[in-house]
Amino acid sequence: MASAANAISLSASPRLAASSSSDQLVVRLQSPSSVSFRPRSELKPARLSVASRANRLRICATAAPVMDKAASPKVPTIVDVDLGDRSYPIYIGSNLLDQPELLQRHVHGKRVLIVTNETIAPLYLDKVVHALTVGNPNVSVDHVILPDGEKYKNMDVLTKVFDKAIESRLDRRCTFVALGGGVIGDMCGYAAASYLRGVNFIQIPTTVMSQVDSSVGGKTGINHRLGKNLIGAFYQPQSVLIDTDTLNTLPERELASGFAEVIKYGLIRDAEFFEWQEKNMHALMSRDPAALAYAIKRSCENKAEVVSLDEKESGLRATLNLGHTFGHAIETGFGYGVWLHGEAVAAGIVMAADMSHRLGWIDESIVTRIHNILKQAKLPTAPPETMTVEMFKSVMAVDKKVADGLLRLILLKGPLGNCVFTGDYDRKALEETLHAFCKS
Amino acid sequence: MASAANAISLSASPRLAASSSSDQLVVRLQSPSSVSFRPRSELKPARLSVASRANRLRICATAAPVMDKAASPKVPTIVDVDLGDRSYPIYIGSNLLDQPELLQRHVHGKRVLIVTNETIAPLYLDKVVHALTVGNPNVSVDHVILPDGEKYKNMDVLTKVFDKAIESRLDRRCTFVALGGGVIGDMCGYAAASYLRGVNFIQIPTTVMSQVDSSVGGKTGINHRLGKNLIGAFYQPQSVLIDTDTLNTLPERELASGFAEVIKYGLIRDAEFFEWQEKNMHALMSRDPAALAYAIKRSCENKAEVVSLDEKESGLRATLNLGHTFGHAIETGFGYGVWLHGEAVAAGIVMAADMSHRLGWIDESIVTRIHNILKQAKLPTAPPETMTVEMFKSVMAVDKKVADGLLRLILLKGPLGNCVFTGDYDRKALEETLHAFCKS
């Protein structure tokens, strides 16, 4: 096949390009040869030309790489996920749970089931029930509170959601609301996809991880003892409501875990965003509201664009899994929940970068910058010491990206912000990377 | 609202018509005022004008009400289910499992998982494995054998399918094959919908029930202890292969059970077909191959047409559930598997007809004809004696057709072959019907 490197080029203005062959897809957000932060005033006309509703931004690769400090806290930023008749808005902003109309406009029917967990329920359940019911006496709200953690993302716990829905006699016009992090969103989404063969649902993500990644795009599901997310559905929500204030109660380790996915967007397709993160990781770690809001918005824009182009992951969407194949092996081999998902992904990104460098696909400087930004975010840069080569291989063999026996990986290739999804790589590089990071 | 009766009219030629209001949908295959069996020669030109491929029939409301005795046993009849990019063919005929190309053309990737049960495996598993692999050495086939019966259509047994698929390391390009009756088709289909968020699947139904109803249309799922099919997905197969020879091994009670659905198609939308059945039920019960093939084809055509118009059951498709709301209550209240699905549906059709008559919506003569044809098919015409009014009400309250607390029913209305799906009926008639068929 033709070398993917030949397909990569630099251009003076950022734009999206993609090419594919039978077993490889090359994706790149082509970066300008020099990146500069443009003053916001320069970008206003372009923004206005694509906004059809007040304060609603269409996905736009030229969005300004600056924080939107002037935005009113009461007016959410809206990112649209464009999927034809399954399109939906992502609302992002401070204090959104105090704006009942944002939730109520997406509730169909008279019955709501909130799915949440033991950690989030005491903090936000009453607030969400109030937002759903205030001035809306026809709606009645049930809830089910699940144990908190990745290790409960299984069939037994999912059954509790079905039991509650059936015992509450919820019908096809009901709405499920996921209130919590990625585990809650994935389980509630899969329950909504399956209950009566599909009911409405709304995501209210309360962690960085779920706000920048798992709540957007319709991937739902549960784990199996032999692998992560092996059972599930592609099922899109009615809307996603991201109240950035919910991050105030998030433990620091979980905050950092979410930044692993933010860093991923920069690496796979948005070099400008990565460079912004290098300058602003300290602000993000100290929960600067404007920095958080910007990082979430830009992440959602990247995710929404990819999902709009490839909803069912026939190629492009797989690139969102940079570091995840190695990361899933860590989560599965080490026991779900010992490491957080983003921690495993961080180590996985380092391994993918190491392998990409061994293949001669990226410069040493990118490997170094990845190490540095992960350290700033207090994230791991290597797998747990107990992981063995065999543990990695055993889990990677059942990865969803295996096709007809061939493991396809997302690897970095070319300048910062470029990646490939491919099964066409030297197996020796994979062996070397696994042995470099494992003692046995 | 306007009386639905006003919307029903007779016309000289059969055609489909439908009208809907907010809570009622009227559907009718308008019958000619007098029905006569037309000689096949008269219909040939119409058939040829819609057939784009040899021996392939598009769904056609004017299909000839005669048996297709001249068709070659080696060339299957094909009914297309028209669902855009999810369209698929139903192959119907004798000896089709001996035509490997019919299966092999719909297998993607190199791995197949056959899901079957303890009754069917000894009869047909080897034959299907041979059909999948002969001349096709790249394909490897695994299988999982489930216990046989409606009471095993649950989450625990479903998990065995996931376990087998994951242990066999099947990837996204694999194909699941459902070999068995409705329970196997529903479970295998839901497993295929959920495994890795969706893999290909093929239906090989081996009972009348699954050949005329459950294998066509993409409804998949499992039961919950509180109700039937409450958890599942709409998920379409790649193809359906109906080898009518598999009916030779079907017990008589199961044969008759399937005819309940065949009778249903006549009652809800195809008066000509009902009249054909009245004349040919003896031939069907004695397994006359031509009669069976015709009844299956005509049933599939009716089902395919309804599904093509309303895949996700927003209205029209619900009419396929004539008798099923009462029937599900019998199955759930009486214990899954004590009565066969079609037996419960038969009693349910009698109850729906009784209620329709109490409402003044159909003539006494239709009630009588329903009794007579069910008796010819050795099917029940009343629920089990142990069923109580409360048992019916309790299960009917969680029926999927309840919307915002209102139970909608499929009831007969107008001349033979017409029905309505409505929540707008006198509750007294429902009470009277329940009390008429229950001792307490």
Side-chain angles (χ1 to χ4, degrees):
Chain A
M1 60 171 293
S3 161
N6 295 340
I8 293 175
S9 62
L10 290 167
S11 77
S13 65
R15 63 185 178 85
L16 183 76
S19 64
S20 66
S21 69
S22 62
D23 65 346
Q24 172 157 325
L25 189 91
V26 182
V27 190
R28 54 200 183 279
L29 183 66
Q30 294 177 325
S31 307
S33 47
S34 75
V35 176
S36 60
F37 286 82
R38 285 158 292 178
R40 186 159 182 264
S41 57
E42 277 182 33
L43 286 140
K44 267 197 167 165
R47 283 189 157 194
L48 290 172
S49 71
V50 293
S52 58
R53 277 162 285 185
N55 212 47
R56 170 165 286 211
L57 304 179
R58 300 296 300 188
I59 304 310
C60 171
T62 57
V66 295
M67 292 180 249
D68 202 1
K69 287 182 176 165
S72 157
K74 287 296 282 181
V75 184
T77 296
I78 303 177
V79 175
D80 285 311
V81 184
D82 183 8
L83 290 167
D85 61 0
R86 296 183 310 289
S87 297
Y88 56 92
I90 307 166
Y91 303 105
I92 305 167
S94 173
N95 214 28
L96 301 193
L97 286 177
D98 287 322
Q99 298 178 51
E101 72 281 7
L102 290 180
L103 270 180
Q104 292 184 12
R105 72 175 68 152
H106 297 287
V107 171
H108 306 295
K110 299 171 184 169
R111 306 289 303 276
V112 175
L113 178 67
I114 300 175
V115 179
T116 188
N117 67 35
E118 290 163 349
T119 308
I120 294 298
L123 297 169
Y124 300 110
L125 180 56
D126 287 350
K127 201 175 181 91
V128 172
V129 171
H130 182 259
L132 286 162
T133 53
V134 61
N136 201 14
N138 288 330
V139 165
S140 73
V141 180
D142 291 280
H143 66 262
V144 56
I145 300 175
L146 307 180
D148 184 13
E150 183 82 24
K151 65 176 177 283
Y152 299 107
K153 191 172 138 180
N154 59 38
M155 193 68 87
D156 283 348
V157 177
L158 180 74
T159 300
K160 291 182 196 301
V161 181
F162 293 130
D163 289 350
K164 181 69 188 182
I166 295 169
E167 283 158 12
S168 304
R169 301 194 166 181
L170 301 189
D171 64 43
R172 274 186 181 165
R173 292 194 195 172
C174 71
T175 299
F176 284 17
V177 173
L179 174 63
V183 171
I184 286 294
D186 284 5
M187 293 184 76
C188 178
Y190 184 44
S194 301
Y195 182 60
L196 309 184
R197 299 198 187 93
V199 297
N200 298 324
F201 92 111
I202 294 172
Q203 294 262 21
I204 307 181
T206 60
T207 63
V208 174
M209 175 59 69
S210 54
Q211 291 176 354
V212 301
D213 185 17
S214 56
S215 72
V216 176
K219 277 195 183 180
T220 71
I222 56 174
N223 299 329
H224 184 274
R225 68 188 150 76
L226 296 178
K228 275 199 63 154
N229 297 325
L230 294 182
I231 298 160
F234 287 99
Y235 198 70
Q236 303 295 341
Q238 299 293 307
S239 63
V240 180
L241 188 140
I242 299 176
D243 187 333
T244 51
D245 295 353
T246 58
L247 300 181
N248 295 335
T249 51
L250 192 68
E252 185 179 79
R253 206 177 137 198
E254 293 214 36
L255 186 83
S257 169
F259 293 148
E261 301 286 359
V262 175
I263 292 165
K264 170 197 77 181
Y265 291 116
L267 289 172
I268 62 168
R269 67 193 311 271
D270 192 347
E272 269 187 15
F273 186 29
F274 187 86
E275 287 160 352
W276 177 89
Q277 292 166 33
E278 291 181 311
K279 294 181 180 132
N280 291 279
M281 188 50 75
H282 182 74
L284 289 172
M285 290 297 284
S286 47
R287 304 182 200 228
D288 177 277
L292 284 173
Y294 176 72
I296 292 164
K297 176 176 83 75
R298 184 95 174 210
S299 297
C300 287
E301 285 169 348
N302 272 294
K303 175 113 187 209
E305 188 168 297
V306 170
V307 169
S308 298
L309 293 168
D310 177 23
E311 183 182 5
K312 298 284 177 70
E313 194 165 311
S314 48
L316 175 63
R317 184 168 180 168
T319 62
L320 295 173
N321 288 313
L322 174 70
H324 284 59
T325 303
F326 296 105
H328 284 180
I330 294 169
E331 287 179 273
T332 305
F334 205 48
Y336 294 137
V338 183
W339 271 25
L340 297 176
H341 175 64
E343 292 170 339
V345 166
I349 289 174
V350 173
M351 293 176 77
D354 177 87
M355 186 173 153
S356 305
H357 182 245
R358 284 177 198 275
L359 289 162
W361 292 357
I362 56 169
D363 289 343
E364 176 81 37
S365 67
I366 294 179
V367 178
T368 307
R369 288 168 78 178
I370 291 171
H371 267 266
N372 290 343
I373 199 166
L374 292 174
K375 280 188 183 302
Q376 274 198 71
K378 298 187 182 173
L379 284 165
T381 55
E385 294 197 349
T386 52
M387 286 295 292
T388 65
V389 172
E390 270 318 301
M391 284 161 80
F392 271 105
K393 285 187 178 174
S394 154
V395 179
M396 290 165 85
V398 291
D399 188 273
K400 287 193 290 300
K401 288 177 291 300
V402 172
D404 288 337
L406 181 71
L407 175 63
R408 294 173 297 169
L409 289 170
I410 297 92
L411 296 166
L412 302 176
K413 190 164 190 174
L416 184 70
N418 293 278
C419 70
V420 291
F421 172 46
T422 181
D424 186 19
Y425 53 80
D426 187 344
R427 264 61 199 154
K428 204 166 126 266
L430 175 56
E431 286 288 333
E432 287 173 2
T433 293
L434 291 177
H435 283 93
F437 284 91
C438 299
K439 285 182 180 164
S440 63
Chain B
M1 60 172 294
S3 160
N6 294 340
I8 294 175
S9 62
L10 289 167
S11 76
S13 66
R15 65 187 177 85
L16 183 78
S19 63
S20 66
S21 68
S22 62
D23 64 348
Q24 173 158 328
L25 187 91
V26 182
V27 190
R28 52 198 184 283
L29 183 68
Q30 292 177 326
S31 307
S33 48
S34 74
V35 176
S36 60
F37 286 83
R38 287 159 292 174
R40 187 158 181 265
S41 59
E42 276 182 34
L43 287 140
K44 270 200 167 164
R47 283 189 157 196
L48 290 174
S49 71
V50 293
S52 58
R53 275 162 287 183
N55 211 45
R56 171 166 284 209
L57 303 179
R58 302 294 304 188
I59 304 311
C60 172
T62 56
V66 292
M67 291 181 247
D68 202 0
K69 286 182 177 166
S72 156
K74 286 296 281 181
V75 184
T77 298
I78 303 177
V79 175
D80 285 310
V81 184
D82 183 8
L83 290 167
D85 60 1
R86 294 185 310 290
S87 296
Y88 56 92
I90 307 167
Y91 304 105
I92 305 168
S94 175
N95 214 29
L96 301 194
L97 287 178
D98 287 322
Q99 299 178 50
E101 72 281 7
L102 290 180
L103 271 179
Q104 291 185 14
R105 70 175 69 151
H106 297 287
V107 170
H108 306 296
K110 300 172 184 167
R111 305 290 303 275
V112 175
L113 178 67
I114 299 174
V115 179
T116 187
N117 69 32
E118 290 163 349
T119 307
I120 294 299
L123 297 170
Y124 301 111
L125 180 56
D126 288 349
K127 203 177 180 87
V128 172
V129 172
H130 181 260
L132 287 163
T133 54
V134 62
N136 201 15
N138 288 330
V139 164
S140 73
V141 180
D142 291 281
H143 65 261
V144 56
I145 299 175
L146 307 179
D148 183 13
E150 183 82 26
K151 66 175 177 287
Y152 298 107
K153 190 172 138 180
N154 59 38
M155 192 68 86
D156 284 346
V157 177
L158 180 74
T159 301
K160 292 184 197 298
V161 181
F162 293 130
D163 289 350
K164 181 68 186 181
I166 296 168
E167 284 159 12
S168 305
R169 303 194 165 181
L170 300 189
D171 64 43
R172 274 187 180 163
R173 293 194 194 171
C174 71
T175 298
F176 283 17
V177 173
L179 172 65
V183 171
I184 286 295
D186 284 6
M187 293 186 77
C188 179
Y190 184 43
S194 299
Y195 182 60
L196 309 184
R197 298 196 186 95
V199 297
N200 297 323
F201 93 108
I202 294 172
Q203 294 262 20
I204 307 181
T206 59
T207 63
V208 174
M209 174 59 70
S210 54
Q211 291 177 352
V212 301
D213 185 17
S214 56
S215 73
V216 177
K219 278 195 180 180
T220 71
I222 55 174
N223 299 328
H224 184 275
R225 67 188 151 75
L226 295 177
K228 274 199 63 152
N229 297 326
L230 294 181
I231 298 161
F234 287 99
Y235 198 70
Q236 303 295 341
Q238 298 293 309
S239 63
V240 181
L241 188 139
I242 298 176
D243 187 334
T244 51
D245 295 352
T246 58
L247 300 181
N248 295 336
T249 51
L250 192 68
E252 184 177 81
R253 206 177 138 200
E254 292 214 38
L255 187 84
S257 169
F259 294 148
E261 302 286 359
V262 175
I263 292 165
K264 169 199 79 181
Y265 291 116
L267 289 171
I268 62 167
R269 68 193 310 272
D270 192 347
E272 267 187 19
F273 186 30
F274 186 86
E275 287 162 353
W276 177 89
Q277 293 165 33
E278 288 182 312
K279 294 181 182 134
N280 290 279
M281 188 50 75
H282 182 73
L284 289 173
M285 289 297 283
S286 45
R287 304 183 199 224
D288 176 277
L292 284 173
Y294 177 73
I296 292 165
K297 176 177 83 78
R298 184 97 176 207
S299 296
C300 286
E301 285 169 348
N302 271 293
K303 176 113 187 209
E305 187 167 298
V306 170
V307 169
S308 298
L309 293 167
D310 177 23
E311 184 183 4
K312 298 285 178 70
E313 193 164 312
S314 48
L316 174 63
R317 183 167 180 169
T319 61
L320 296 174
N321 288 313
L322 174 71
H324 284 57
T325 303
F326 295 105
H328 283 180
I330 294 169
E331 288 178 274
T332 306
F334 204 48
Y336 294 138
V338 184
W339 271 25
L340 297 176
H341 175 62
E343 293 170 340
V345 166
I349 288 175
V350 173
M351 293 175 78
D354 176 88
M355 184 172 155
S356 305
H357 183 245
R358 284 176 197 275
L359 289 163
W361 291 358
I362 56 168
D363 289 345
E364 177 80 37
S365 66
I366 294 179
V367 178
T368 306
R369 289 170 77 178
I370 291 171
H371 267 265
N372 291 343
I373 199 165
L374 292 175
K375 279 187 184 300
Q376 274 198 72
K378 299 186 182 173
L379 285 164
T381 54
E385 292 198 349
T386 52
M387 287 294 293
T388 65
V389 172
E390 271 318 301
M391 285 161 78
F392 273 105
K393 285 186 177 173
S394 157
V395 179
M396 290 165 84
V398 291
D399 187 272
K400 286 192 290 300
K401 288 177 291 298
V402 172
D404 288 339
L406 180 70
L407 175 63
R408 295 172 296 169
L409 289 170
I410 297 91
L411 296 166
L412 302 176
K413 192 165 188 174
L416 184 70
N418 293 278
C419 70
V420 291
F421 171 46
T422 182
D424 186 20
Y425 52 80
D426 187 343
R427 265 61 198 152
K428 203 165 128 268
L430 175 56
E431 287 287 333
E432 286 173 2
T433 293
L434 291 178
H435 283 93
F437 284 91
C438 300
K439 286 182 177 163
S440 64

